[in-house]
Amino acid sequence: MLLSFNGNIWIYPMPIDFRKQIDGIVLLVADHLQLNPTSGQLFLFRNRTANKIKMLWWDRNGFWLCYKRLEKGKLKFPAIVDQAIELTRDQLSWLLSGLDCMKQIALPDVNAINFF
């Protein structure tokens, strides 16, 4: 799935009803967040107890819906607000690793121009 993914990453930190499947989440993205669910961007959603995450992504001809449930512990989501927050790839990786993605600091990018 993520091999061909290179769009924006959005997290909606307000807990959602995890009975929602693809159609319900697509409506949430389009109507509430005012974003295009078929744009190729990745949309992340959390549950109330912070031990589950769903990822919605449009891949050329259909939706992917990925779901992770932690058997122990909780994910460290951004503060609860009623709007989508854009994440970097590093922040997504940190979030899925159980780190606080809003407090980690990435190393600066390097544009190497001299080679030995």
Side-chain angles (χ1 to χ4, degrees):
M1 174 187 112
L2 296 178
L3 295 177
S4 64
F5 173 78
N6 65 5
N8 295 346
I9 302 168
W10 296 96
I11 184 165
Y12 181 57
M14 181 77 69
I16 67 165
D17 180 352
F18 255 51
R19 293 174 293 182
K20 286 184 189 285
Q21 294 300 314
I22 290 175
D23 294 337
I25 295 174
V26 165
L27 287 174
L28 176 65
V29 170
D31 294 343
H32 188 73
L33 301 180
Q34 299 291 300
L35 295 168
N36 180 357
T38 60
S39 63
Q41 300 176 90
L42 183 65
F43 300 97
L44 310 173
F45 302 90
R46 60 166 289 179
N47 71 331
R48 182 180 48 81
T49 57
N51 68 335
K52 297 175 187 168
I53 187 168
K54 284 187 177 182
M55 297 185 284
L56 179 75
W57 179 56
W58 174 262
D59 179 28
R60 297 180 300 135
N61 56 9
F63 285 103
W64 283 90
L65 182 62
C66 300
Y67 179 168
K68 181 171 184 169
R69 179 188 69 202
L70 296 180
E71 296 302 322
K72 187 175 184 181
K74 294 183 181 216
L75 296 164
K76 293 184 169 92
F77 290 102
I80 295 174
V81 294
D82 193 17
Q83 64 184 18
I85 299 170
E86 189 170 3
L87 298 180
T88 65
R89 285 177 172 260
D90 287 333
Q91 288 174 312
L92 173 59
S93 179
W94 296 328
L95 174 66
L96 296 177
S97 297
L99 301 173
D100 186 334
C101 66
M102 304 308 280
K103 292 186 178 176
Q104 303 300 316
I105 299 172
L107 294 172
D109 290 341
V110 174
N111 185 12
I113 55 173
N114 294 320
F115 303 97
F116 301 96

